[in-house]
Amino acid sequence: MLDTALELLRNLKVNDDTRSIPVVLLTWRDRLEDLTRAFKEGAAGYILKPVTADDLVDTISRVLSDEQAA
């Protein structure tokens, strides 16, 4: 499943119309290699399941704040 998400992320990042869309991955995959791959491919965030509402809101707020600052 993570491979599918990363493929979708790659496709979004190479397209001029979707490149600037921040993508946050929500997954149970907690290996460092997976996290590294996600950020290398252009993920703006990486959230591990199970996730709390606070964690979700905090991550999305951070990502949107980073996008506005850029």
Side-chain angles (χ1 to χ4, degrees), residues 15-58:
N15 184 319
D16 289 338
D17 294 332
T18 57
R19 163 177 306 157
S20 64
I21 297 172
V23 176
V24 176
L25 297 178
L26 175 63
T27 182
W28 59 268
R29 305 272 307 251
D30 63 352
R31 296 182 329 181
L32 180 58
E33 305 88 56
D34 297 324
L35 178 97
T36 302
R37 281 180 57 203
F39 282 108
K40 184 177 179 182
E41 295 292 344
Y46 194 91
I47 301 173
L48 292 174
K49 295 178 185 178
V51 61
T52 66
D54 288 340
D55 289 340
L56 187 59
V57 169
D58 289 346

